[in-house]
Amino acid sequence: TYIQAVENLEMMALRYGCDLILLPEMCMEHPAQCQNEGELTLENVALLMLSRLAKQCRVYIVLGSVEERADCNTVYDTCVVFNREGDIVFRYRKQTTNWTNKVQGTEPGFFDTEFGLVGVLLGHEADEEARWDLLLERQVSMVVNPSRVGAQLDPVLLRARPDLQAAAWHQSFRHIERVVE
């Protein structure tokens, strides 16, 4: 449940004293209690719970992405960022999507913290050189990429051999290093 998940996040944040919690893409569905599904406001029960968590633990929370409905025909994959006060301070609409029912965002993703400017890429956007050029131009302090597990990995095999996931991540990081160089 959302309540158990938020309680676990709270426990971990307090135990380890983290500054930022990064959740993966599509990690949350809009709960049944939400009257206006797809609106990214604190009227959404799940977003309200994460807002309270951010404020209580004094952490930034980057919610990988959720479906945002801007109107009847416009749906985005949108990353939501909460600051340490629990305010929604940034929404990043994914610029690269393969879904025919979703619209691509048009603005690069950046938000300010006391540590400096943070860049946001979602999923496979990290493989696109042009996206990195914009981030490097702005001299970001950190880039977050809250992506889901690669679809090419079989979940049963992954449970038996978690080292394969690490190998896939390392291969992806090497590709990103080449792009950034």
Side-chain angles (χ1 to χ4, degrees):
T1 69
Y2 286 112
I3 294 171
Q4 290 169 326
V6 170
E7 286 173 350
N8 286 338
L9 283 172
E10 178 183 5
M11 181 181 67
M12 299 300 277
L14 293 172
R15 178 183 299 164
Y16 296 108
C18 63
D19 290 304
L20 185 140
I21 296 173
L22 182 65
L23 300 171
E25 285 184 288
M26 307 309 271
C27 66
M28 138 186 149
E29 296 289 327
H30 295 286
Q33 301 93 327
C34 183
Q35 298 296 320
N36 300 315
E37 184 175 316
E39 289 184 14
L40 300 183
T41 68
L42 295 182
E43 298 296 317
N44 179 317
V45 175
L47 293 178
L48 179 60
M49 291 172 64
L50 290 172
S51 167
R52 289 179 179 165
L53 174 67
K55 186 173 185 174
Q56 183 175 352
C57 295
R58 305 287 303 148
V59 297
Y60 289 90
I61 298 178
V62 179
L63 179 58
S65 71
V66 293
E67 273 196 357
E68 173 191 11
R69 294 187 188 282
D71 60 44
C72 300
N73 300 317
T74 310
V75 178
Y76 298 95
D77 281 334
T78 302
C79 171
V80 179
V81 178
F82 298 89
N83 67 9
R84 293 180 189 273
E85 288 76 42
D87 301 320
I88 295 175
V89 293
F90 182 67
R91 290 178 181 88
Y92 169 68
R93 292 175 171 165
K94 189 174 186 177
Q95 296 181 70
T96 302
T97 183
N98 296 324
W99 299 96
T100 56
N101 65 331
K102 295 191 178 171
V103 178
Q104 294 181 343
T106 57
E107 300 294 320
F110 302 101
F111 65 95
D112 280 312
T113 69
E114 64 269 27
F115 310 110
L117 192 62
V118 176
V120 178
L121 297 171
L122 288 177
H124 293 293
E125 290 179 340
D127 296 330
E128 301 172 31
E129 263 185 73
R131 304 265 182 250
W132 283 98
D133 291 343
L134 290 170
L135 297 177
L136 295 173
E137 249 176 52
R138 295 282 302 269
Q139 298 179 344
V140 294
S141 299
M142 173 177 35
V143 176
V144 294
N145 180 10
S147 65
R148 292 179 278 184
V149 173
Q152 73 277 10
L153 297 176
D154 176 24
V156 175
L157 182 60
L158 251 164
R159 277 193 288 282
R161 296 274 317 275
D163 57 307
L164 294 177
Q165 178 66 62
W169 285 335
H170 289 175
Q171 181 181 6
S172 178
F173 291 142
R174 282 193 290 279
H175 171 75
I176 291 168
E177 285 174 346
R178 286 191 299 275
V179 168
V180 172
E181 288 172 349

